[in-house]
Amino acid sequence: MYLCGNVSTMRVLIINTSERRGGAAIAANRLMESLKNRGIKAKMLVRDKQTDQISVVGLNRSWWKIWQFIWERIIIWKANHFKKHHLFAVDIANTGTDITILPEFQQADVIHLHWVNQGMLSLNDIQRILRSGKPVVWTMHDMWPCTGICHHARDCEKYQQECHHCPYLYKGGKKDLSNQVFKRKKEIYQLAPITFVTCSQWLKERAEQSALLKGHTVINIPNPINTNLFKPRNQQEARKACGLPADKKLLLFGAFKITDKRKGIDYFIRSCQILVQQYPQLKDEWGVVVYGNHSEELKPLLPFEVYPLNYISNEKELVHVYNAADIFVTPSLEENLPNTIMEAMACGTPCVGFQVGGIPEMIDHLHNGYVAEYKSVEDFANGIHWVLNEGEYESLSEEACRKVVSSYSEDTIAKKYIDTYNKIIGDYE
């Protein structure tokens, strides 16, 4: 068995669809780096490679891979009676790549799955992995591993027994696509033990209720963050680096795709409108910094001056953006453990978010930020105003940073994963 103090021979293969795009990819990449810093020989296997990082291995790209992705959508589209809605809210994993034949897989001591949808791994590929006899850890960045086909079950509880009549399918039935995939997953998961890791306690509670995960270990380990990089810096210098005004209080909102309804942009717009109605003077005193694709589209929709930035993948630039802001707002309607909140808090920027998913585990209400009643634009507006005008801002900032350092630092999270790897390797020997 590998011991925590002598792990230089342990090889871990982290598997994720993308190298850098999306929250799961960022979290998986950070975990790889934190493991390497503690002596683990960690590599990452991805379908979409975005950098020249030598420890990240990309699958060979081909038109066949693109067709596989399209074919999965066609099957879902057909099952959905040719309706477009929810076309990308579900995955059926009917296409993918057999990675067990790759040298990186064969050399690994532990196979660590992350977000593997949209053509990365099929259910048959997952079956091959479990049959290989290698220990498997699966970090859940959403609910897909414990449901039939959806990433977020919302109010549906059918996954606790058996998925059917899926609300994401138009006219779902007793033996619809969700039911077929659910049964197939159940069959596959019985092949070998899987250690499921959830990034939030909220997701752990739901995962443990799933009929699919009965008999498997489910533990909670948060995502890691580099607190040597993401930390408080001089605000005026950060604003100068970002080309932002020095004399306004700045609200920050960011997402990969700003117009994604799940990110709650409509709720943020209405909250800002309420604030200006109640406090007209704020119109000239506050501004909103927006980073992400389609950020320009918010300019005519908000009552404050908007400073749009493109999607930022460079972490050093992100640190400047977080430090330039006075507050980070996240009106998301579906969340697990958002990297954005973690990044903002690490930089000493208090956050406001809805009471959903793992957000209340990150933001300690009135201690380091504000947790608003779910979907209440009035309470969200109240939270923004409280943080910027009523709370003890310096204390909120310090406590936000302290929370991240103590709970989410790379060193802390890497140790938890190494302990998990050691345990399951020992169980296999």
Side-chain angles (χ1 to χ4, degrees):
M1 176 175 173
Y2 298 101
L3 299 176
C4 213
N6 181 25
V7 296
S8 59
T9 56
M10 187 191 292
R11 296 175 183 267
V12 176
L13 182 62
I14 292 171
I15 300 163
N16 197 75
T17 300
S18 174
E19 176 187 1
R20 297 293 305 167
R21 194 167 291 126
I26 291 168
N29 210 290
R30 287 175 179 169
L31 176 60
M32 175 185 70
E33 293 301 327
S34 61
L35 290 172
K36 284 160 59 179
N37 289 338
R38 288 185 67 93
I40 299 290
K41 293 183 177 177
K43 283 189 175 183
M44 193 168 167
L45 179 67
V46 299
R47 187 196 68 187
D48 302 330
K49 184 170 163 66
Q50 280 104 22
T51 73
D52 57 3
Q53 167 71 272
I54 194 167
S55 56
V56 179
V57 180
L59 297 176
N60 293 329
R61 297 308 306 269
S62 67
W63 282 105
W64 174 244
K65 291 277 188 296
I66 297 171
W67 168 246
Q68 283 183 313
F69 170 74
I70 294 172
W71 177 243
E72 181 180 26
R73 297 305 120 185
I74 289 173
I75 298 296
I76 296 168
W77 184 49
K78 180 175 178 291
N80 212 20
H81 292 259
F82 305 103
K83 305 288 183 182
K84 287 184 180 179
H85 71 297
H86 300 320
L87 187 58
F88 290 93
V90 300
D91 277 290
I92 59 175
N94 65 330
T95 63
T97 300
D98 178 9
I99 65 168
T100 62
I101 61 175
L102 300 176
E104 290 81 11
F105 181 92
Q106 294 171 359
Q107 292 163 6
D109 299 301
V110 177
I111 305 303
H112 192 158
L113 306 179
H114 282 257
W115 201 88
V116 293
N117 298 117
Q118 297 190 355
M120 178 68 198
L121 295 180
S122 68
L123 294 178
N124 287 339
D125 297 325
I126 294 171
Q127 177 176 279
R128 293 186 188 98
I129 291 169
L130 293 176
R131 281 181 170 163
S132 72
K134 289 182 181 288
V136 175
V137 175
W138 194 342
T139 294
M140 298 171 58
H141 294 277
D142 56 34
M143 292 184 68
W144 188 83
C146 72
T147 68
I149 60 176
C150 72
H151 293 280
H152 288 278
R154 297 181 181 172
D155 296 330
C156 177
E157 296 180 348
K158 295 186 181 75
Y159 70 95
Q160 296 177 13
Q161 305 296 328
E162 183 175 275
C163 287
H164 58 87
H165 291 90
C166 180
Y168 284 96
L169 296 176
Y170 184 76
K171 294 183 180 178
K174 189 174 182 180
K175 295 186 178 181
D176 62 15
L177 205 54
S178 72
N179 181 260
Q180 295 169 36
V181 176
F182 187 95
K183 288 180 176 177
R184 180 74 177 115
K185 282 184 179 178
K186 194 169 187 179
E187 179 185 308
I188 292 169
Y189 289 0
Q190 291 173 349
L191 292 172
I194 307 170
T195 299
F196 289 93
V197 178
T198 63
C199 304
S200 66
Q201 186 63 32
W202 167 83
L203 185 55
K204 181 176 186 287
E205 290 169 3
R206 275 144 189 80
E208 289 176 331
Q209 293 171 340
S210 171
L212 287 175
L213 272 53
K214 292 287 186 288
H216 294 283
T217 301
V218 182
I219 60 175
N220 171 220
I221 303 177
N223 295 329
I225 187 170
N226 182 350
T227 50
N228 292 319
L229 174 62
F230 286 90
K231 63 183 180 180
R233 299 171 191 269
N234 183 279
Q235 187 180 76
Q236 289 304 318
E237 289 178 7
R239 290 190 176 190
K240 189 175 180 181
C242 298
L244 295 170
D247 58 347
K248 289 192 175 189
K249 287 190 176 180
L250 296 179
L251 288 67
L252 176 63
F253 172 71
F256 179 70
K257 185 181 178 184
I258 296 298
T259 52
D260 185 345
K261 294 294 185 183
R262 294 173 303 165
K263 296 302 177 183
I265 186 60
D266 294 338
Y267 293 85
F268 179 48
I269 292 169
R270 285 162 61 196
S271 295
C272 288
Q273 291 168 344
I274 288 171
L275 284 165
V276 170
Q277 287 168 4
Q278 293 179 341
Y279 313 98
Q281 74 278 10
L282 298 181
K283 186 176 177 67
D284 298 318
E285 296 174 2
W286 290 8
V288 177
V289 181
V290 184
Y291 75 87
N293 296 318
H294 306 285
S295 59
E296 288 274 354
E297 295 181 23
L298 277 190
K299 269 193 164 185
L301 303 176
L302 290 171
F304 302 113
E305 184 74 27
V306 175
Y307 305 92
L309 304 172
N310 292 324
Y311 179 72
I312 303 168
S313 57
N314 184 296
E315 291 193 331
K316 291 182 179 177
E317 291 179 29
L318 263 181
V319 171
H320 285 311
V321 175
Y322 286 120
N323 274 281
D326 294 289
I327 186 173
F328 180 75
V329 295
T330 176
S332 291
L333 305 179
E334 297 175 355
E335 282 295 357
N336 181 9
L337 196 83
N339 291 320
T340 49
I341 290 181
M342 195 182 294
E343 291 162 355
M345 289 176 63
C347 294
T349 305
C351 301
V352 175
F354 282 133
Q355 188 167 2
V356 64
I359 289 178
E361 298 170 35
M362 307 177 81
I363 304 174
D364 300 317
H365 187 52
L366 304 183
H367 185 66
N368 58 31
Y370 192 100
V371 180
E373 181 185 340
Y374 187 54
K375 289 188 177 182
S376 169
V377 291
E378 293 81 10
D379 199 26
F380 200 85
N382 183 57
I384 295 172
H385 190 267
W386 183 85
V387 168
L388 294 180
N389 288 81
E390 299 169 44
E392 295 182 12
Y393 187 84
E394 292 301 321
S395 175
L396 291 173
S397 176
E398 289 173 7
E399 291 300 329
C401 182
R402 188 176 290 119
K403 172 72 175 280
V404 174
V405 171
S406 63
S407 303
Y408 309 125
S409 70
E410 287 187 336
D411 199 52
T412 300
I413 303 307
K415 185 179 184 305
K416 289 183 178 181
Y417 268 114
I418 291 170
D419 289 345
T420 301
Y421 299 151
N422 278 329
K423 184 180 186 308
I424 63 172
I425 288 174
D427 290 343
Y428 268 72
E429 288 182 346

